[in-house]
Amino acid sequence: MNANPDVRLPAVSVIMPVLNEERHLRGAVQAILAQEYAGEMEVVIALGPSTDRTDEIAAELVAETASLQSKRVHTVPNPTGRTPAALNAAINASRHPIVVRVDGHGMLSPDYIATAVRLLEETGAQNVGGIMHAEGETDWERAVAAAMTSKIGVGNASFHTGGEAGPAETVYLGVFRREALEQQGGYNVEFIRAQDWELNFRIREAGGLIWFSPELKVSYRPRPSVKALAKQYKDYGRWRHVVARFHEGSINLRYLAPPTAVCAIAAGILVGLLLTPWGFVVPGGYLAAILLGSVPAGKGLPLKARLQIPVALATMHMSWGWGFLTSPRSLARKVIASRRPAVRADADAATG
């Protein structure tokens, strides 16, 4: 990226919210420190109340990088354990003009930061992001990764399946200009999930550009069990309904598909049990669809992983749909009450 040695690259702060990440934290931080980026860099880890060795591993990383001049690791406490609070704590403790968000189970591709900084400059965007490239280490995780990168699993979500570079509503994780984060006051801590979407909405509402590029790729480690995947997707659905209530008009057919499927399957089973066997056509059709859809999704995977893809697909769809349907209005009212108006750069300057 830095073809001209006289051009100084902007310094970068990498922020990481972590909770119970002993399995992946060291690898994630090593991928950051190994970035092909000549500018100064710091890593700020916001530590939630973990019950595993996460804090111990973080302390080791701090000690190991203490003597480095331009690539040091720091930690800050996040007693709430909530992601948006962790992100804000890390932002406040960081100091550089470019802020890169990375999760404790995310692995940056070697040129991720250099590419993101270049894209910020080329596009004038306030935030750029790319593809959430799911990669599993066990057969179950490989099955989940296949489901998460297939259109039958996640629809046309570009940050899962790829697509053309261009303006976007939101992006995975994100590489921000610090001024954009400061203008908007950081993340809204009431959004336990979907905080990225909400922040990017405020940035866009203030006239900023959010940019998606398939050049940016983060390897993501899927949840290690059916139970963990179900909880993750239930939370996704629950908070996506909050977003829909928070911002009318933000919903589309892709988001409505899982709750519609849950209702249709439940109705079909009831009709089949109480009235006519024809009711089982609906759940039978869904089962056939995910079985057929898992065939191309599992191409190149071991047999055991391929056999688990339908389970992963059904878990994702049904959990997301159930979370969406059972999301309480009281949660949305609480979040709406905390609504932060978007702050434009010119207005911020006028009141500063």
Side-chain angles (χ1 to χ4, degrees):
M1 173 184 172
N2 192 19
N4 184 351
D6 295 327
V7 176
R8 182 168 180 156
L9 293 170
V12 170
S13 296
V14 182
I15 60 171
M16 300 183 70
V18 300
L19 179 68
N20 294 326
E21 289 287 0
E22 69 173 359
R23 183 179 172 192
H24 300 300
L25 179 58
R26 176 170 288 278
V29 172
Q30 288 175 338
I32 296 167
L33 299 178
Q35 285 289 296
E36 299 169 356
Y37 187 70
E40 185 178 352
M41 186 190 312
E42 66 175 351
V43 182
V44 182
I45 303 173
L47 295 170
S50 296
T51 56
D52 61 9
R53 294 184 60 251
T54 296
D55 287 12
E56 180 182 336
I57 294 168
E60 292 171 357
L61 291 165
V62 171
E64 291 165 10
T65 61
S67 62
L68 300 179
Q69 293 299 314
S70 60
K71 293 185 178 181
R72 293 183 179 179
V73 177
H74 310 278
T75 62
V76 292
N78 173 36
T80 70
R82 294 182 172 184
T83 300
L87 291 166
N88 286 343
I91 291 167
N92 292 337
S94 66
R95 56 198 174 94
H96 295 321
I98 304 297
V99 179
V100 180
R101 175 183 171 176
V102 183
D103 286 343
H105 45 269
M107 307 287 288
L108 299 185
S109 54
D111 63 345
Y112 182 88
I113 291 178
T115 302
V117 171
R118 171 176 59 80
L119 289 171
L120 284 172
E121 182 179 351
E122 291 177 353
T123 64
Q126 301 300 304
N127 180 21
V128 299
I131 295 174
M132 177 183 178
H133 183 66
E135 292 181 336
E137 297 177 333
T138 66
D139 285 326
W140 165 251
E141 291 175 358
R142 293 186 188 100
V144 175
M148 291 180 69
T149 53
S150 68
K151 289 192 175 181
I152 192 173
V154 295
N156 62 348
S158 58
F159 67 83
H160 281 295
T161 60
E164 296 293 326
E169 285 190 349
T170 191
V171 290
Y172 179 54
L173 301 179
V175 177
F176 299 83
R177 298 179 189 272
R178 175 176 293 276
E179 65 224 35
L181 295 172
E182 293 178 345
Q183 284 163 8
Q184 301 308 324
Y187 291 84
N188 185 332
V189 295
E190 296 296 339
F191 275 83
I192 308 306
R193 295 287 184 273
Q195 66 274 158
D196 292 320
W197 190 97
E198 192 277 335
L199 174 59
N200 285 319
F201 169 73
R202 281 186 281 132
I203 291 174
R204 289 187 291 108
E205 196 173 45
L209 175 65
I210 311 299
W211 189 265
F212 166 82
S213 174
E215 292 184 76
L216 298 172
K217 185 171 76 171
V218 180
S219 293
Y220 168 86
R221 301 294 187 243
R223 295 298 191 270
S225 67
V226 174
K227 181 179 179 181
L229 182 68
K231 182 181 185 305
Q232 177 188 21
Y233 272 78
K234 180 185 175 184
D235 287 345
Y236 282 171
R238 175 186 177 97
W239 282 91
R240 194 60 188 79
H241 204 165
V242 172
V243 168
R245 287 167 170 157
F246 177 83
H247 178 55
E248 294 181 4
S250 69
I251 206 71
N252 60 38
L253 292 177
R254 176 165 66 88
Y255 297 126
L256 293 176
T260 301
V262 170
C263 292
I265 290 170
I269 291 173
L270 284 176
V271 170
L273 291 173
L274 301 177
L275 299 176
T276 172
W278 284 104
F280 292 114
V281 169
V282 175
Y286 172 77
L287 178 61
I290 61 172
L291 288 173
L292 289 173
S294 68
V295 174
K299 186 177 180 181
L301 293 180
L303 177 61
K304 189 174 180 181
R306 294 202 305 269
L307 292 175
Q308 295 182 82
I309 293 175
V311 179
L313 287 169
T315 301
M316 290 162 57
H317 294 161
M318 296 299 102
S319 300
W320 203 104
W322 181 250
F324 189 94
L325 291 168
T326 58
S327 181
R329 287 186 175 275
S330 59
L331 181 59
R333 285 196 293 269
K334 180 181 179 182
V335 168
I336 291 169
S338 72
R339 185 191 297 269
R340 298 181 179 184
V343 179
R344 300 188 67 93
D346 50 359
D348 189 54
T351 58

PDB file of all heavy atoms in Angstrom, residues 306-333:
ATOM      1  N   ARG A 306     -21.092 -32.553   6.061  1.00  0.00           N
ATOM      2  CA  ARG A 306     -22.211 -32.366   5.118  1.00  0.00           C
ATOM      3  C   ARG A 306     -23.529 -32.819   5.728  1.00  0.00           C
ATOM      4  O   ARG A 306     -24.571 -32.185   5.527  1.00  0.00           O
ATOM      5  CB  ARG A 306     -21.945 -33.134   3.819  1.00  0.00           C
ATOM      6  CG  ARG A 306     -20.764 -32.618   3.024  1.00  0.00           C
ATOM      7  CD  ARG A 306     -20.858 -33.016   1.553  1.00  0.00           C
ATOM      8  NE  ARG A 306     -20.999 -34.461   1.367  1.00  0.00           N
ATOM      9  CZ  ARG A 306     -19.986 -35.300   1.217  1.00  0.00           C
ATOM     10  NH1 ARG A 306     -18.733 -34.845   1.277  1.00  0.00           N
ATOM     11  NH2 ARG A 306     -20.191 -36.581   1.024  1.00  0.00           N
ATOM     12  N   LEU A 307     -23.491 -33.912   6.484  1.00  0.00           N
ATOM     13  CA  LEU A 307     -24.723 -34.448   7.079  1.00  0.00           C
ATOM     14  C   LEU A 307     -25.299 -33.515   8.139  1.00  0.00           C
ATOM     15  O   LEU A 307     -26.490 -33.586   8.450  1.00  0.00           O
ATOM     16  CB  LEU A 307     -24.454 -35.818   7.694  1.00  0.00           C
ATOM     17  CG  LEU A 307     -24.136 -36.944   6.700  1.00  0.00           C
ATOM     18  CD1 LEU A 307     -23.774 -38.226   7.439  1.00  0.00           C
ATOM     19  CD2 LEU A 307     -25.320 -37.189   5.761  1.00  0.00           C
ATOM     20  N   GLN A 308     -24.475 -32.639   8.698  1.00  0.00           N
ATOM     21  CA  GLN A 308     -24.940 -31.740   9.753  1.00  0.00           C
ATOM     22  C   GLN A 308     -25.408 -30.381   9.237  1.00  0.00           C
ATOM     23  O   GLN A 308     -25.948 -29.588  10.011  1.00  0.00           O
ATOM     24  CB  GLN A 308     -23.822 -31.544  10.791  1.00  0.00           C
ATOM     25  CG  GLN A 308     -23.456 -32.821  11.535  1.00  0.00           C
ATOM     26  CD  GLN A 308     -22.386 -32.587  12.581  1.00  0.00           C
ATOM     27  OE1 GLN A 308     -22.669 -32.138  13.698  1.00  0.00           O
ATOM     28  NE2 GLN A 308     -21.145 -32.877  12.237  1.00  0.00           N
ATOM     29  N   ILE A 309     -25.212 -30.118   7.955  1.00  0.00           N
ATOM     30  CA  ILE A 309     -25.629 -28.819   7.411  1.00  0.00           C
ATOM     31  C   ILE A 309     -27.130 -28.594   7.557  1.00  0.00           C
ATOM     32  O   ILE A 309     -27.555 -27.497   7.961  1.00  0.00           O
ATOM     33  CB  ILE A 309     -25.174 -28.677   5.943  1.00  0.00           C
ATOM     34  CG1 ILE A 309     -23.649 -28.610   5.877  1.00  0.00           C
ATOM     35  CG2 ILE A 309     -25.778 -27.418   5.306  1.00  0.00           C
ATOM     36  CD1 ILE A 309     -23.093 -28.590   4.467  1.00  0.00           C
ATOM     37  N   PRO A 310     -28.011 -29.590   7.244  1.00  0.00           N
ATOM     38  CA  PRO A 310     -29.446 -29.335   7.444  1.00  0.00           C
ATOM     39  C   PRO A 310     -29.790 -28.974   8.884  1.00  0.00           C
ATOM     40  O   PRO A 310     -30.676 -28.145   9.130  1.00  0.00           O
ATOM     41  CB  PRO A 310     -30.093 -30.661   7.024  1.00  0.00           C
ATOM     42  CG  PRO A 310     -29.117 -31.296   6.097  1.00  0.00           C
ATOM     43  CD  PRO A 310     -27.767 -30.911   6.623  1.00  0.00           C
ATOM     44  N   VAL A 311     -29.101 -29.586   9.852  1.00  0.00           N
ATOM     45  CA  VAL A 311     -29.340 -29.253  11.262  1.00  0.00           C
ATOM     46  C   VAL A 311     -28.944 -27.806  11.533  1.00  0.00           C
ATOM     47  O   VAL A 311     -29.669 -27.064  12.208  1.00  0.00           O
ATOM     48  CB  VAL A 311     -28.551 -30.202  12.183  1.00  0.00           C
ATOM     49  CG1 VAL A 311     -28.782 -29.830  13.649  1.00  0.00           C
ATOM     50  CG2 VAL A 311     -28.944 -31.647  11.926  1.00  0.00           C
ATOM     51  N   ALA A 312     -27.806 -27.399  10.984  1.00  0.00           N
ATOM     52  CA  ALA A 312     -27.363 -26.014  11.167  1.00  0.00           C
ATOM     53  C   ALA A 312     -28.344 -25.041  10.527  1.00  0.00           C
ATOM     54  O   ALA A 312     -28.699 -24.013  11.131  1.00  0.00           O
ATOM     55  CB  ALA A 312     -25.962 -25.836  10.570  1.00  0.00           C
ATOM     56  N   LEU A 313     -28.790 -25.340   9.316  1.00  0.00           N
ATOM     57  CA  LEU A 313     -29.738 -24.466   8.629  1.00  0.00           C
ATOM     58  C   LEU A 313     -31.036 -24.330   9.415  1.00  0.00           C
ATOM     59  O   LEU A 313     -31.545 -23.226   9.619  1.00  0.00           O
ATOM     60  CB  LEU A 313     -30.031 -25.007   7.230  1.00  0.00           C
ATOM     61  CG  LEU A 313     -28.923 -24.859   6.188  1.00  0.00           C
ATOM     62  CD1 LEU A 313     -29.255 -25.669   4.940  1.00  0.00           C
ATOM     63  CD2 LEU A 313     -28.722 -23.398   5.817  1.00  0.00           C
ATOM     64  N   ALA A 314     -31.591 -25.466   9.853  1.00  0.00           N
ATOM     65  CA  ALA A 314     -32.854 -25.428  10.594  1.00  0.00           C
ATOM     66  C   ALA A 314     -32.682 -24.677  11.917  1.00  0.00           C
ATOM     67  O   ALA A 314     -33.571 -23.911  12.324  1.00  0.00           O
ATOM     68  CB  ALA A 314     -33.356 -26.850  10.850  1.00  0.00           C
ATOM     69  N   THR A 315     -31.556 -24.887  12.588  1.00  0.00           N
ATOM     70  CA  THR A 315     -31.298 -24.179  13.851  1.00  0.00           C
ATOM     71  C   THR A 315     -31.249 -22.677  13.629  1.00  0.00           C
ATOM     72  O   THR A 315     -31.843 -21.892  14.385  1.00  0.00           O
ATOM     73  CB  THR A 315     -29.978 -24.665  14.471  1.00  0.00           C
ATOM     74  OG1 THR A 315     -30.049 -26.080  14.704  1.00  0.00           O
ATOM     75  CG2 THR A 315     -29.698 -23.950  15.785  1.00  0.00           C
ATOM     76  N   MET A 316     -30.544 -22.247  12.595  1.00  0.00           N
ATOM     77  CA  MET A 316     -30.443 -20.822  12.291  1.00  0.00           C
ATOM     78  C   MET A 316     -31.806 -20.233  11.962  1.00  0.00           C
ATOM     79  O   MET A 316     -32.211 -19.203  12.519  1.00  0.00           O
ATOM     80  CB  MET A 316     -29.477 -20.617  11.129  1.00  0.00           C
ATOM     81  CG  MET A 316     -28.024 -20.901  11.466  1.00  0.00           C
ATOM     82  SD  MET A 316     -26.965 -21.167  10.011  1.00  0.00           S
ATOM     83  CE  MET A 316     -27.221 -19.628   9.111  1.00  0.00           C
ATOM     84  N   HIS A 317     -32.542 -20.876  11.055  1.00  0.00           N
ATOM     85  CA  HIS A 317     -33.837 -20.340  10.606  1.00  0.00           C
ATOM     86  C   HIS A 317     -34.854 -20.289  11.742  1.00  0.00           C
ATOM     87  O   HIS A 317     -35.494 -19.260  11.983  1.00  0.00           O
ATOM     88  CB  HIS A 317     -34.406 -21.211   9.484  1.00  0.00           C
ATOM     89  CG  HIS A 317     -33.607 -21.172   8.228  1.00  0.00           C
ATOM     90  ND1 HIS A 317     -33.710 -22.141   7.261  1.00  0.00           N
ATOM     91  CD2 HIS A 317     -32.690 -20.283   7.769  1.00  0.00           C
ATOM     92  CE1 HIS A 317     -32.891 -21.860   6.258  1.00  0.00           C
ATOM     93  NE2 HIS A 317     -32.261 -20.736   6.547  1.00  0.00           N
ATOM     94  N   MET A 318     -35.009 -21.430  12.436  1.00  0.00           N
ATOM     95  CA  MET A 318     -36.054 -21.508  13.455  1.00  0.00           C
ATOM     96  C   MET A 318     -35.721 -20.628  14.664  1.00  0.00           C
ATOM     97  O   MET A 318     -36.602 -19.980  15.230  1.00  0.00           O
ATOM     98  CB  MET A 318     -36.235 -22.960  13.902  1.00  0.00           C
ATOM     99  CG  MET A 318     -36.729 -23.903  12.798  1.00  0.00           C
ATOM    100  SD  MET A 318     -38.358 -23.449  12.126  1.00  0.00           S
ATOM    101  CE  MET A 318     -37.885 -22.665  10.569  1.00  0.00           C
ATOM    102  N   SER A 319     -34.453 -20.587  15.063  1.00  0.00           N
ATOM    103  CA  SER A 319     -34.079 -19.769  16.216  1.00  0.00           C
ATOM    104  C   SER A 319     -34.223 -18.282  15.896  1.00  0.00           C
ATOM    105  O   SER A 319     -34.728 -17.503  16.719  1.00  0.00           O
ATOM    106  CB  SER A 319     -32.639 -20.079  16.638  1.00  0.00           C
ATOM    107  OG  SER A 319     -32.508 -21.437  16.990  1.00  0.00           O
ATOM    108  N   TRP A 320     -33.778 -17.877  14.708  1.00  0.00           N
ATOM    109  CA  TRP A 320     -33.912 -16.477  14.293  1.00  0.00           C
ATOM    110  C   TRP A 320     -35.389 -16.092  14.243  1.00  0.00           C
ATOM    111  O   TRP A 320     -35.790 -15.046  14.766  1.00  0.00           O
ATOM    112  CB  TRP A 320     -33.265 -16.290  12.922  1.00  0.00           C
ATOM    113  CG  TRP A 320     -32.826 -14.904  12.581  1.00  0.00           C
ATOM    114  CD1 TRP A 320     -31.558 -14.428  12.585  1.00  0.00           C
ATOM    115  CD2 TRP A 320     -33.656 -13.799  12.140  1.00  0.00           C
ATOM    116  NE1 TRP A 320     -31.536 -13.106  12.185  1.00  0.00           N
ATOM    117  CE2 TRP A 320     -32.804 -12.690  11.915  1.00  0.00           C
ATOM    118  CE3 TRP A 320     -35.021 -13.647  11.928  1.00  0.00           C
ATOM    119  CZ2 TRP A 320     -33.283 -11.468  11.484  1.00  0.00           C
ATOM    120  CZ3 TRP A 320     -35.505 -12.418  11.513  1.00  0.00           C
ATOM    121  CH2 TRP A 320     -34.635 -11.338  11.287  1.00  0.00           C
ATOM    122  N   GLY A 321     -36.189 -16.946  13.607  1.00  0.00           N
ATOM    123  CA  GLY A 321     -37.614 -16.666  13.489  1.00  0.00           C
ATOM    124  C   GLY A 321     -38.306 -16.590  14.839  1.00  0.00           C
ATOM    125  O   GLY A 321     -39.133 -15.691  15.077  1.00  0.00           O
ATOM    126  N   TRP A 322     -37.981 -17.518  15.734  1.00  0.00           N
ATOM    127  CA  TRP A 322     -38.590 -17.517  17.062  1.00  0.00           C
ATOM    128  C   TRP A 322     -38.172 -16.276  17.843  1.00  0.00           C
ATOM    129  O   TRP A 322     -38.991 -15.646  18.517  1.00  0.00           O
ATOM    130  CB  TRP A 322     -38.201 -18.780  17.816  1.00  0.00           C
ATOM    131  CG  TRP A 322     -38.799 -18.872  19.188  1.00  0.00           C
ATOM    132  CD1 TRP A 322     -38.141 -18.760  20.377  1.00  0.00           C
ATOM    133  CD2 TRP A 322     -40.185 -19.066  19.510  1.00  0.00           C
ATOM    134  NE1 TRP A 322     -39.025 -18.871  21.433  1.00  0.00           N
ATOM    135  CE2 TRP A 322     -40.283 -19.066  20.922  1.00  0.00           C
ATOM    136  CE3 TRP A 322     -41.337 -19.239  18.750  1.00  0.00           C
ATOM    137  CZ2 TRP A 322     -41.493 -19.235  21.586  1.00  0.00           C
ATOM    138  CZ3 TRP A 322     -42.548 -19.404  19.417  1.00  0.00           C
ATOM    139  CH2 TRP A 322     -42.618 -19.402  20.811  1.00  0.00           C
ATOM    140  N   GLY A 323     -36.909 -15.909  17.755  1.00  0.00           N
ATOM    141  CA  GLY A 323     -36.453 -14.696  18.429  1.00  0.00           C
ATOM    142  C   GLY A 323     -37.162 -13.455  17.918  1.00  0.00           C
ATOM    143  O   GLY A 323     -37.539 -12.573  18.695  1.00  0.00           O
ATOM    144  N   PHE A 324     -37.378 -13.394  16.609  1.00  0.00           N
ATOM    145  CA  PHE A 324     -38.077 -12.256  16.007  1.00  0.00           C
ATOM    146  C   PHE A 324     -39.521 -12.188  16.502  1.00  0.00           C
ATOM    147  O   PHE A 324     -40.016 -11.124  16.892  1.00  0.00           O
ATOM    148  CB  PHE A 324     -38.051 -12.390  14.488  1.00  0.00           C
ATOM    149  CG  PHE A 324     -38.552 -11.188  13.740  1.00  0.00           C
ATOM    150  CD1 PHE A 324     -37.677 -10.212  13.289  1.00  0.00           C
ATOM    151  CD2 PHE A 324     -39.911 -11.036  13.465  1.00  0.00           C
ATOM    152  CE1 PHE A 324     -38.135  -9.103  12.590  1.00  0.00           C
ATOM    153  CE2 PHE A 324     -40.383  -9.932  12.765  1.00  0.00           C
ATOM    154  CZ  PHE A 324     -39.492  -8.967  12.338  1.00  0.00           C
ATOM    155  N   LEU A 325     -40.197 -13.334  16.507  1.00  0.00           N
ATOM    156  CA  LEU A 325     -41.609 -13.375  16.889  1.00  0.00           C
ATOM    157  C   LEU A 325     -41.827 -13.075  18.366  1.00  0.00           C
ATOM    158  O   LEU A 325     -42.856 -12.503  18.741  1.00  0.00           O
ATOM    159  CB  LEU A 325     -42.195 -14.751  16.559  1.00  0.00           C
ATOM    160  CG  LEU A 325     -42.348 -15.079  15.065  1.00  0.00           C
ATOM    161  CD1 LEU A 325     -42.652 -16.558  14.883  1.00  0.00           C
ATOM    162  CD2 LEU A 325     -43.431 -14.219  14.424  1.00  0.00           C
ATOM    163  N   THR A 326     -40.879 -13.458  19.217  1.00  0.00           N
ATOM    164  CA  THR A 326     -41.060 -13.294  20.665  1.00  0.00           C
ATOM    165  C   THR A 326     -40.355 -12.057  21.214  1.00  0.00           C
ATOM    166  O   THR A 326     -40.347 -11.849  22.425  1.00  0.00           O
ATOM    167  CB  THR A 326     -40.532 -14.536  21.400  1.00  0.00           C
ATOM    168  OG1 THR A 326     -39.140 -14.736  21.085  1.00  0.00           O
ATOM    169  CG2 THR A 326     -41.315 -15.777  20.994  1.00  0.00           C
ATOM    170  N   SER A 327     -39.784 -11.236  20.355  1.00  0.00           N
ATOM    171  CA  SER A 327     -39.113 -10.018  20.814  1.00  0.00           C
ATOM    172  C   SER A 327     -40.135  -9.081  21.458  1.00  0.00           C
ATOM    173  O   SER A 327     -41.094  -8.652  20.807  1.00  0.00           O
ATOM    174  CB  SER A 327     -38.447  -9.315  19.623  1.00  0.00           C
ATOM    175  OG  SER A 327     -37.770  -8.159  20.048  1.00  0.00           O
ATOM    176  N   PRO A 328     -39.987  -8.743  22.732  1.00  0.00           N
ATOM    177  CA  PRO A 328     -41.021  -7.956  23.419  1.00  0.00           C
ATOM    178  C   PRO A 328     -41.023  -6.483  22.994  1.00  0.00           C
ATOM    179  O   PRO A 328     -39.968  -5.890  22.778  1.00  0.00           O
ATOM    180  CB  PRO A 328     -40.635  -8.094  24.892  1.00  0.00           C
ATOM    181  CG  PRO A 328     -39.163  -8.347  24.878  1.00  0.00           C
ATOM    182  CD  PRO A 328     -38.887  -9.135  23.625  1.00  0.00           C
ATOM    183  N   ARG A 329     -42.215  -5.927  22.911  1.00  0.00           N
ATOM    184  CA  ARG A 329     -42.335  -4.509  22.590  1.00  0.00           C
ATOM    185  C   ARG A 329     -41.681  -3.635  23.661  1.00  0.00           C
ATOM    186  O   ARG A 329     -41.185  -2.543  23.370  1.00  0.00           O
ATOM    187  CB  ARG A 329     -43.809  -4.117  22.440  1.00  0.00           C
ATOM    188  CG  ARG A 329     -44.448  -4.632  21.154  1.00  0.00           C
ATOM    189  CD  ARG A 329     -45.856  -4.094  20.995  1.00  0.00           C
ATOM    190  NE  ARG A 329     -46.430  -4.493  19.716  1.00  0.00           N
ATOM    191  CZ  ARG A 329     -46.257  -3.852  18.577  1.00  0.00           C
ATOM    192  NH1 ARG A 329     -45.525  -2.738  18.568  1.00  0.00           N
ATOM    193  NH2 ARG A 329     -46.802  -4.278  17.466  1.00  0.00           N
ATOM    194  N   SER A 330     -41.676  -4.132  24.909  1.00  0.00           N
ATOM    195  CA  SER A 330     -41.077  -3.355  25.992  1.00  0.00           C
ATOM    196  C   SER A 330     -39.589  -3.123  25.750  1.00  0.00           C
ATOM    197  O   SER A 330     -39.050  -2.067  26.089  1.00  0.00           O
ATOM    198  CB  SER A 330     -41.282  -4.073  27.329  1.00  0.00           C
ATOM    199  OG  SER A 330     -40.701  -5.371  27.293  1.00  0.00           O
ATOM    200  N   LEU A 331     -38.919  -4.099  25.140  1.00  0.00           N
ATOM    201  CA  LEU A 331     -37.502  -3.942  24.830  1.00  0.00           C
ATOM    202  C   LEU A 331     -37.305  -2.861  23.782  1.00  0.00           C
ATOM    203  O   LEU A 331     -36.417  -2.018  23.897  1.00  0.00           O
ATOM    204  CB  LEU A 331     -36.930  -5.273  24.334  1.00  0.00           C
ATOM    205  CG  LEU A 331     -35.440  -5.296  23.988  1.00  0.00           C
ATOM    206  CD1 LEU A 331     -34.601  -4.906  25.194  1.00  0.00           C
ATOM    207  CD2 LEU A 331     -35.038  -6.675  23.485  1.00  0.00           C
ATOM    208  N   ALA A 332     -38.164  -2.876  22.767  1.00  0.00           N
ATOM    209  CA  ALA A 332     -38.079  -1.848  21.734  1.00  0.00           C
ATOM    210  C   ALA A 332     -38.374  -0.465  22.302  1.00  0.00           C
ATOM    211  O   ALA A 332     -37.713   0.511  21.943  1.00  0.00           O
ATOM    212  CB  ALA A 332     -39.049  -2.177  20.600  1.00  0.00           C
ATOM    213  N   ARG A 333     -39.364  -0.380  23.200  1.00  0.00           N
ATOM    214  CA  ARG A 333     -39.683   0.928  23.794  1.00  0.00           C
ATOM    215  C   ARG A 333     -38.506   1.467  24.600  1.00  0.00           C
ATOM    216  O   ARG A 333     -38.205   2.661  24.563  1.00  0.00           O
ATOM    217  CB  ARG A 333     -40.930   0.803  24.684  1.00  0.00           C
ATOM    218  CG  ARG A 333     -42.231   0.679  23.900  1.00  0.00           C
ATOM    219  CD  ARG A 333     -43.426   0.945  24.791  1.00  0.00           C
ATOM    220  NE  ARG A 333     -43.589  -0.099  25.800  1.00  0.00           N
ATOM    221  CZ  ARG A 333     -44.331  -1.190  25.639  1.00  0.00           C
ATOM    222  NH1 ARG A 333     -44.987  -1.379  24.496  1.00  0.00           N
ATOM    223  NH2 ARG A 333     -44.440  -2.088  26.599  1.00  0.00           N
TER     224      ARG A 333
END
